[in-house]
Amino acid sequence: MNHSHSIDIMNDLAYLAEKNNYIAPELYQKHNVKRGLRNENGTGVLVGLTNVSSVQGYKLENGIKSPAEGKLFYRGIDVEDFVSGFQSQNRRGFEECAYLLLFGVLPTAEQLTQFNQLLDEHRNLPNSFTENMILKIPSKDIMNKLQRSILVLYSHDNNPDDTTVSNVLRQSIELISRFPTIISYGYQAKAHYFDSKSLFIHSPQAGIGTAENILYMTRPDNTYTKTEAEVLDLALVIHAEHGGGNNSAFATHVVSSSGTDTYSSIVAAIGSLKGPKHGGANIRVREMIQNIKANVPHINNRDILKDYLWKIIKKEAFNKEGLIYGMGHAVYTKSDPRTSLLKSKAMELAVEKDRVDEFNLYKNIEDLSLELFRDLKGDSFDICANVDLYSGFVYELLNIPPELYTPLFATARIAGWCAHRIEQLVSDQKIIRPAYANTSLTEKYIPLASRT
């Protein structure tokens, strides 16, 4: 079979697969399917309970949604208060955040010190893992590299399938510790083997924490400023958790409910986060910004920028999908608390890097998008900037390559995933199994010789 004939066959099979897997939209309504696990008013279908975190973005009275200022709580603590607490004492917050999510309480100074020591003990990868798993099998996609690395860690675990809390907790701490090392080395391998750059493998350092280790291991010269470390630490904290209903946390609950091992559960969550509708959204923001810079001659001229944003909304510009990436959220309406926290630090970093004009571009996109959507949908319409609008800009200011944007999200969210896994194993042993209505007609089997 020649190559062109093979392509023709594949195209025919693709057509057949698409044709016979299509389900008409009206059938979902007929069977009262909650598409996307959403109710008619846009709220999520209640499928479980969690104490790990909660997201508030609207008021709900008599089944009617109304906009409200956004709030995010970690174990009942307002994330804005949590951030203010550690930043006012000039401390890093991600490790304290991970402790809170895993154990449900804030650590004492002694407990936090012990927890940091535990994380430091496990930051190094197993013997020969870097050479055999990362350097010998590099990947162009670091999320893919992260998934495969986590699965291989199963083979380095003497007790991988034990789902007791003590064992899962041990595995969780090891994973939280090792994610920064894996993504840093995964990027170095990618940059060397696919981009012909020099290879730098720096060992993680004890006593400096997660954010600073990432900067230390990803930079050739290991150097970073105090502001850079603070901003990345904040980014990790606000990405660490976002309620049980987000796609990757739900994936963790679903897979954990089957009784499988920690590594399989976390790999499923990584696969979910990799998608552009979830953790990959900040890449879409970056692509949109690059398109705006290429097509708007004076990016700080609000009128010209507004005209181009209107073209994007009308599907006349950028990718013709009609979306302003970084604007809007499934839950938040008036505001995203993560955005306001990151926005202030982004401004601080922009001043340090002499890139305030570029910061103003993002701020103008935020303000002008709200104006445009209200022109389109009415003065009462509310839409807010989500955390993805500014996170990509922050990573760019930190000289973090785009290939690491979503892996950084995973490095933060592993704390939340592990907390959800432990909660599922402790609280609900039922396997999660929703129903699907079958819409196909009964067909008779046709012998092979009689088929056309």
Side-chain angles (χ1 to χ4, degrees), residues 178-193:
R178 288 169 172 170
F179 263 49
T181 313
I182 293 170
I183 68 166
S184 299
Y185 291 179
Y187 170 72
Q188 296 292 1
K190 184 267 178 188
H192 178 64
Y193 291 104

Side-chain angles (χ1 to χ4, degrees), residues 400-416:
I400 290 172
E403 298 96 320
L404 280 173
Y405 288 7
T406 311
L408 278 174
F409 197 155
T411 299
R413 190 56 65 86
I414 178 61

